[in-house]
Structures are given as structure tokens and as C-alpha cells.
Amino acid sequence: MNAAKQELMELLAAASRDRDITPEEIPGIDLYMDQIITLFEEKISSGGRGAGEKPLTKTMVNNYSKDGIIKPIKGKKYTKEQIMQMLYIYRLKQALSIGDIRRVLRCLPDDGEGSQRESLIAVYEKFQDSKGETTRALLELSSALCPEEEPDMARLVELVVELSWVSHTARKMCEAVIDRYMPEKDPGWGSKKQEKE
């Protein structure tokens, strides 16, 4: 690999690095909104461009709650389950609409007591286990798309268009799975209501 391609691949590799919150890092006790916002700001980092952006704000949390994307709050504290839902929203909103995110989260099974906590944790842990492999596969694809010679501006534009097509296609694939397997009907929160549906 020549120096020009090496530099471009290092740039793409750096962009693909992303710090995440693991389920173990979320306290087992209920947290106030300010504590959750601090947790997200301290633990989540983006791979560059959005470094100054806040991953979560009070307005976002209030909107997610009003829209029924996270379970209703009781009092002023949020449970680990609700914090996990916020983490899913943070990850999924990069590619999906809020309506699609609601459908995805509502499809995770409850434990019979109206709690999705264990399902949320199990699925997220599997995602974390596999995301390194997915990132490697994407970097291999990027390497195949990168020019071997010193790229001119037209070739860089071509690379951006090709990578944006990967993003577009992945989103369309997500939407196809959601449309086929995840009902648009709103079952509400809690297993009893879901059982009646």
C-alpha cells in the first residue's frame, strides 16, 4: 500500500473509532437526568466531526419520553432500562427515523413484568461483540474503494459518493427488516397490554 492510500485508510480508520457506553457502565440505581447526561458526555465520543456536539440533552430526553420512545418516568429518576433505551436511540438515530426507532424498541421482548431491561442489555452486548468485525469488514470495503495512486479531487468525490451509497443501502436494508417484521401498530409499554394485542 502506497503512502497516499495508507494516509487515506488511516483517516477512515480513525473516523470509524467510536467510544461507547457498555451496559456494565450504567449504574444499577436510578439516575436523575443531569446524571444521565453527564454519563453520556463522559463515556461517548464520536470519531471526529461531532466532537463538540452533546450526545444527549434534556430536550432530547423530554421529547423521547413525550413521543413514547422511552418508557414513562416515575418521579424524577430514570431506571437502567430507560437509560438503555436512550443508548439505543443514540445509536439508531444516526441511521433511522424516530418512528422506526420506536418500532424497533417496542419489539424487544418483556420479561413478563413489563420490563425489557434484560433484552435491551443482551442485544446491546451482542452488538458490541460484533461491531469490531463489522467495522473491519467496512474498512476492507473502503480499502477496495480507495485509489492506489495519489487521489485527485474527482477521485475523492467518487469515494465519498461510494461510501454514501453504502450508508444509504444499509439504511434501506434496516427499513426493509423493520417494515417486514416489526409492526407499526403501537402495542404500548407493558406485557399485559402487549398480550391483548
Side-chain angles (χ1 to χ4, degrees), residues 1-122:
M1 186 183 302
N2 66 34
K5 182 167 182 173
Q6 179 74 33
E7 181 182 346
L8 193 48
M9 287 306 301
E10 286 172 7
L11 178 73
L12 296 177
S16 71
R17 288 187 205 106
D18 216 5
R19 174 73 176 94
D20 209 343
I21 298 174
T22 64
E24 297 81 31
E25 292 174 310
I26 299 173
I29 58 172
D30 295 353
L31 299 177
Y32 289 105
M33 189 182 301
D34 287 340
Q35 293 172 307
I36 297 167
I37 290 169
T38 299
L39 175 71
F40 272 63
E41 287 177 354
E42 288 177 354
K43 300 291 183 182
I44 291 179
S45 67
S46 62
R49 184 179 241 189
E53 294 177 17
K54 295 193 176 289
L56 191 68
T57 65
K58 289 181 181 182
T59 302
M60 288 178 195
V61 174
N62 287 330
N63 288 339
Y64 300 153
S65 188
K66 285 179 194 171
D67 290 342
I69 305 170
I70 60 173
K71 290 191 177 186
I73 183 174
K74 294 175 184 172
K76 294 185 176 183
K77 291 185 176 182
Y78 293 83
T79 64
K80 184 168 184 171
E81 179 179 2
Q82 290 164 318
I83 297 167
M84 284 298 304
Q85 289 169 334
M86 292 176 209
L87 185 55
Y88 272 83
I89 295 165
Y90 173 78
R91 282 288 159 225
L92 294 172
K93 74 178 186 175
Q94 311 302 320
L96 299 176
S97 71
I98 292 297
D100 281 344
I101 294 170
R102 182 184 302 109
R103 287 167 68 178
V104 169
L105 291 180
R106 297 271 175 108
C107 285
L108 282 171
D110 279 346
D111 65 4
E113 300 296 321
S115 173
Q116 293 180 313
R117 182 171 145 174
E118 298 309 314
S119 299
L120 288 163
I121 291 171

Side-chain angles (χ1 to χ4, degrees), residues 9 12-13 16 130-145 163 166:
M9 287 306 301
L12 296 177
S16 71
S130 65
K131 80 176 186 179
E133 187 177 321
T134 304
T135 302
R136 279 189 294 280
L138 186 54
L139 286 171
E140 285 178 23
L141 172 62
S142 300
S143 180
L145 296 173
L163 290 174
V166 172

